[in-house]
Amino acid sequence: MKLADFKTMPRDGFPTTNQWMLDFGKYHLSVITGGYGNAEAPYEIAVFAADDGVSQGFVQLPGITGPGDDVRGYTTADEVDAVITKLYTITGQKPVQIHT
C-alpha cells in the first residue's frame, strides 16, 4: 500500500493542488501537494476522525502528526507510505480512496 497505488485527484477550489483522500474506516488521511512542502518533500498530510465515511475533524496521532500539529508538511513519498502503513496497522482496514 503506497500513495502511488492511488489516483491523483485535483483539489476542489485549488487548481494547482493535487489531493489524495484515503478512508481507513475511523480515520481519513488527506495528502496534498501545493501546501507546506518543497521539491524534495512535496506532500502535506492531515488525519481526520471519520464517522460513516464523513470526515469529522483533525486528529493528532503519535508518529504521524506532532503534538499540537494538525498538519504535517514537508513530507516525502516514503514518509507518506509509512503513514499509510501505520494507519492500516492501527485500523486493520486497507485504505479506500474517496473523493473530496
Side-chain angles (χ1 to χ4, degrees), residues 8-83:
T8 304
M9 308 291 285
R11 185 171 176 213
D12 291 342
F14 298 87
T16 61
T17 303
N18 291 313
Q19 182 172 30
W20 299 258
M21 183 69 84
L22 305 180
D23 185 346
F24 291 84
K26 68 185 228 174
Y27 297 115
H28 288 169
L29 173 65
S30 170
V31 181
I32 68 167
T33 59
Y36 295 112
N38 58 30
E40 294 80 33
Y43 302 102
E44 175 185 306
I45 64 169
V47 179
F48 298 88
D51 186 23
D52 288 330
V54 177
S55 296
Q56 299 296 316
F58 290 108
V59 175
Q60 298 166 14
L61 296 174
I64 296 176
T65 56
D69 287 333
D70 294 328
V71 174
R72 176 177 160 191
Y74 301 95
T75 308
T76 67
D78 288 341
E79 290 169 323
V80 173
D81 293 344
V83 168

